[in-house]
Amino acid sequence: CILKASTEGSPGVVIFTTPERDRLLKEPALEERLRSLKGKWVIGLHHNWHDYNFVYNPLFDFSMAGEDDLLAANGMAIPLIPLDACNFVPAYFQPSESPKFWDILYIARAVRFKRIPEFFQSIRSLYDRGQTCRVLFICPLPPYERKERTTVFYNIRDAYDEMFSVPEKELFTLLTLDYQYPFPFDLPTLAHFYRSSRIFVHSADEERRCRVAAYAWASGLP
């Protein structure tokens, strides 16, 4: 992501994500090309996950992450801008007085750390108590890869079918999307679901600063 172009009077600013960094550093020629930008460009690193054993690479001039999301392996100070993707919420996500159709909204990829079985069990418990909440769960599905079976909840539809009856599924919509992963909707469309819901649920216990929760906060959802 280029935040600012390089000009004759000042350097440009370009930011790579940690997955991009990991791919780039596997190819010496690409790493060398990136190194050749130094001086004309300030190179940042956006962290997609917290890292408590972070090895600072001077190829990157600064990191973008929450203040408590990075700890250097050797204890050295990390050049840090305490912002990340969740701090940049577009104006589509704002409080709305529009009628609410769903009581509960959850948006999560079908990956294990999102704790989807725990979310299902929470809704199951509500229904068992006679609370007929209308629920929407938007769940992008990654393409099947055998090596990812331990990290991806590929059998999510089977689990949903086993836990909820047909009348309950008329209240609880599981919207699984297996195209344009992981972002099947444009942001104005995604914002519509927030504006049409009463509360947002986030059941992951290790994910500290996710965009879908930030969208909910910006939209005024508990």
Side-chain angles (χ1 to χ4, degrees):
C1 174
I2 296 177
L3 295 188
K4 175 187 175 299
S6 175
T7 66
E8 191 170 325
S10 66
V13 181
V14 61
I15 296 175
F16 294 88
T17 65
T18 43
E20 290 171 334
R21 171 203 62 187
D22 296 341
R23 291 195 298 269
L24 181 147
L25 295 182
K26 291 178 181 177
E27 301 186 37
L30 283 178
E31 181 181 357
E32 190 55 37
R33 288 183 66 183
L34 184 60
R35 200 176 302 280
S36 70
L37 299 178
K38 302 284 281 185
K40 293 185 178 180
W41 290 82
V42 176
I43 303 172
L45 182 63
H46 180 281
H47 292 256
N48 283 29
W49 195 252
H50 46 74
D51 188 347
Y52 301 138
N53 195 35
F54 176 52
V55 178
Y56 174 67
N57 184 339
L59 175 64
F60 300 94
D61 298 297
F62 65 92
S63 287
M64 293 183 68
E67 289 181 299
D68 300 322
D69 290 341
L70 293 182
L71 292 176
N74 58 4
M76 70 174 291
I78 302 168
L80 181 69
I81 294 178
L83 299 170
D84 57 25
C86 73
N87 293 104
F88 300 93
V89 177
Y92 310 118
F93 300 91
Q94 53 186 307
S96 170
E97 298 299 324
S98 62
K100 311 304 179 187
F101 184 78
W102 293 284
D103 297 302
I104 297 172
L105 173 67
Y106 186 29
I107 300 173
R109 296 177 291 122
V111 289
R112 299 285 181 183
F113 73 84
K114 297 287 188 178
R115 300 176 78 234
I116 292 168
E118 286 80 359
F119 171 69
F120 280 172
Q121 185 56 56
S122 297
I123 304 304
R124 176 72 269 154
S125 298
L126 289 174
Y127 286 173
D128 288 343
R129 294 206 300 263
Q131 295 178 279
T132 53
C133 303
R134 185 171 287 279
V135 182
L136 174 62
F137 179 17
I138 299 174
C139 185
L141 288 172
Y144 180 79
E145 290 190 34
R146 184 180 179 84
K147 65 180 180 180
E148 299 295 339
R149 288 181 300 170
T150 59
T151 61
V152 178
F153 191 20
Y154 286 118
N155 63 331
I156 182 173
R157 292 166 177 161
D158 293 334
Y160 169 75
D161 287 338
E162 290 173 7
M163 291 186 70
F164 301 97
S165 67
V166 171
E168 287 169 341
K169 286 191 282 189
E170 292 178 355
L171 290 171
F172 179 6
T173 299
L174 170 63
L175 185 58
T176 52
L177 302 156
D178 53 8
Y179 57 93
Q180 296 188 154
Y181 180 82
F183 304 117
F185 293 121
D186 63 281
L187 291 179
T189 301
L190 190 63
H192 166 76
F193 297 114
Y194 285 87
R195 290 194 301 270
S196 303
S197 302
R198 290 186 171 85
I199 70 168
F200 184 84
V201 169
H202 183 59
S203 55
D205 57 353
E206 295 182 354
E207 187 180 25
R208 292 163 46 84
R209 297 168 61 84
C210 63
R211 271 176 286 188
V212 290
Y215 294 162
W217 291 323
S219 300
L221 272 67

